[in-house]
Each structure stands twice: as structure tokens, then as C-alpha cells.
Amino acid sequence: MMRVGLVSPTVDVEVFHAIAAGLGQVDWRIYSDLLTRLDEHDAEEVLATIAVPVAIATGDRDLITPPAIAEHMHRVIRGSRLVVIEGGSHYTPVEYPAVLVDELGRLLDRVPGWERTRARAVAT
């Protein structure tokens, strides 16, 4: 996948292999049916009603969920934060985990009562 440019060179190869290994457990008949029905689901009418902090992260090279979809969601969800990660593909979480951890922290900072420093102390 890296050789053909479908994942970033920064991908955590061990985690990516674990994800790929999990594909062996997929019921491909069900998965194929799901793919053919993707256009049947649309939560467009719900987006404008979201009233909680929202972070939308995507890779600028995501072919499966193109950045245009994230950009549209960001425009519709009032107060959302959008980050487009340069070089990220559909596997951005294993390509740029530190960026996503930082964005998650920024999101949680917007949640009343959340304290990032206290949460870090509890986690260690």
C-alpha cells in the first residue's frame, strides 16, 4: 500500500498489519452488501442539529472518504473544528496518531468540566 501511495510513509506498520490481519475476519458477503448500500444512508438532516463540541479530522489523500465530505460536515455543524492532515490517507489514525491525539485534546478542552492536565495525571 505504501509503494503505490495509498498510505503515508509515516504509517505505523505494526498497527497497519494488525488492521489488515483483521480483514481476514470480515464476512465479505456482508461487507460487499454494505458497500452497495452506502448511498442509502444520509444523516444530512441531523448535522445542523448537533450541539456538542465536534472535531472532524481527515487526511488530504483519503480516497475512501474524501476531504470534501469532511469540509461539508464542518460547514453544516455549527462550531465544529476541521483539521485536514497533509499526507493523510484513510488510515490517518495510524499514519499521524500524535496529530489526532492533539486534536482530541483540543476537542476535550471545549467540554465543560474537562481538564486536560488532570486527565493526563489520572492516565499515568
Side-chain angles (χ1 to χ4, degrees), residues 4-52:
V4 295
L6 293 178
V7 295
S8 168
T10 63
V11 71
D12 183 324
V13 175
E14 186 177 320
V15 173
F16 186 78
H17 283 182
I19 292 168
L23 293 176
Q25 305 299 316
V26 170
D27 181 326
W28 290 102
R29 186 177 45 84
I30 293 172
Y31 188 73
S32 176
D33 184 54
L34 171 72
L35 289 176
T36 63
R37 296 172 185 264
L38 282 176
D39 65 338
E40 294 176 16
H41 172 73
D42 185 350
E44 178 74 25
E45 70 281 354
V46 176
L47 297 178
T49 69
I50 296 174
V52 296

Side-chain angles (χ1 to χ4, degrees), residues 85-99:
I85 300 168
E86 186 175 336
S89 72
H90 194 64
Y91 298 96
T92 295
V94 293
E95 295 169 324
Y96 299 95
V99 174

Side-chain angles (χ1 to χ4, degrees), residues 48-91:
T49 69
I50 296 174
V52 296
V54 172
I56 303 165
T58 189
D60 69 345
R61 295 179 38 224
D62 189 338
L63 301 176
I64 297 170
T65 310
I69 292 172
E71 292 162 359
H72 172 73
M73 291 172 63
H74 173 60
R75 283 191 303 274
V76 177
I77 301 171
R78 199 170 319 118
S80 65
R81 176 173 165 78
L82 172 65
V83 60
V84 178
I85 300 168
E86 186 175 336
S89 72
H90 194 64
Y91 298 96

